[in-house]
Amino acid sequence: MRSSDRTNADRWRPWRALDAPTVRAVAVMCLSVMVIGMSYGVSGHGAGLTWWQLTIIATVVLAGSSEFVFVAVLAAGGAPLLGAAAGLLVNTRNLGYGLAVGRHLDRGVPMLLGAHLINDETAALATAESDRRRGQAVFFLCGTGILVCWPAGAALGSVIGDAVARPESLGLDAAFPALLAALAIPALRDRAVVGAAAIGGAAALAATPFVPAGVPVLIALVGVVATVRYRIHDDPENLSAADDLDQEAPMEVPR
């Protein structure tokens, strides 16, 4: 097979770029999402939603935090429109995820499909990859897995009812955040990332008592904004690139 043909074939089979540990990490992530989805299904069932309603919402929205907020508003007796507005506010954090993940996606159909698959898990896995091809492959593999596992978990949770009403009693609620933390820890080798995490974490903790659930994650983005200038001026590669541009800039001859 010619190299061009092999390249085209690999383009339509991006999973070839992934190794076994990455695939296992995606599988564990998706199973964790299914467990959390079962908890969501139980909560939604208690708020009066049927299994098929929960499944449709989980498939169309595909954003766990927003859906939990929506169900919480309904359970408290609030109007569905109010719950949808609160969920939309929580989901604005996907704007930051989109900016981070967009560099891994091709324009056109892949980016359009990817917009629906952006969430905490796909963003965490994709941004951890420095290679664009691997980042795109792991993004779509994880996104497709969550698109299947999250609605399935919601439907199972609704059917099972109170059997998993309190997943924390089994310790399953800790598995999901622990997995996200494990994915984020390697990035802490970078001083700018440590600074962004510290500033963003402090801002999120300070805001938690005063804003709805999910909004502190959005507020934590101030850490990124606060460290962008530091990264640009502290990174030797950026400085050398700027010097090269200055040297290559043509001299303007006065007339």
Side-chain angles (χ1 to χ4, degrees):
M1 181 183 289
R2 293 178 301 177
S3 59
S4 59
D5 294 337
R6 186 180 297 108
T7 301
N8 290 331
D10 289 346
R11 182 181 178 186
W12 295 106
R13 289 178 288 183
W15 59 85
R16 286 176 171 266
L18 302 179
D19 51 19
T22 302
V23 174
R24 285 196 297 268
V26 171
V28 172
M29 180 79 78
C30 292
L31 290 176
S32 301
V33 166
M34 178 176 283
V35 172
I36 305 300
M38 293 171 68
S39 177
Y40 161 68
V42 171
S43 301
H45 179 76
L49 296 173
T50 63
W51 70 269
W52 62 268
Q53 289 174 323
L54 288 167
T55 303
I56 291 176
I57 293 173
T59 304
V60 174
V61 179
L62 201 64
S65 299
S66 297
E67 293 171 50
F68 270 112
V69 169
F70 175 72
V71 167
V73 171
L74 292 185
L81 286 178
L82 179 61
L88 184 62
L89 176 63
V90 171
N91 219 31
T92 54
R93 73 186 189 283
N94 279 2
L95 175 63
Y97 292 160
L99 294 174
V101 172
R103 64 189 179 90
H104 292 294
L105 304 180
D106 296 328
R107 294 185 180 276
V109 175
M111 188 165 288
L112 183 63
L113 294 175
H116 184 58
L117 300 178
I118 290 178
N119 48 52
D120 300 338
E121 302 79 33
T122 55
L125 287 172
T127 54
E129 299 290 344
S130 57
D131 181 75
R132 184 176 183 274
R133 183 164 166 261
R134 280 179 55 87
Q136 181 171 242
V138 74
F139 174 84
F140 280 109
L141 179 62
C142 182
T144 303
I146 290 175
L147 183 60
V148 173
C149 292
W150 176 252
L156 285 173
S158 178
V159 172
I160 294 174
D162 293 336
V164 289
R166 297 189 61 189
E168 65 272 14
S169 62
L170 301 176
L172 296 175
D173 57 323
F176 189 58
L179 185 58
L180 287 178
L183 292 171
I185 286 174
L188 296 179
R189 299 189 184 100
D190 189 323
R191 286 185 300 168
V193 174
V194 173
I199 295 172
L205 286 174
T208 296
F210 310 105
V211 297
V215 176
V217 176
L218 182 63
I219 294 175
L221 292 174
V222 301
V224 178
V225 177
T227 55
V228 165
R229 185 178 179 84
Y230 165 80
R231 174 181 281 276
I232 291 175
H233 289 280
D234 189 63
D235 192 341
E237 293 183 3
N238 290 333
L239 290 176
S240 62
D243 292 340
D244 292 341
L245 288 175
D246 290 339
Q247 293 174 5
E248 294 175 3
M251 280 180 71
E252 184 176 347
V253 179
R255 297 179 181 177

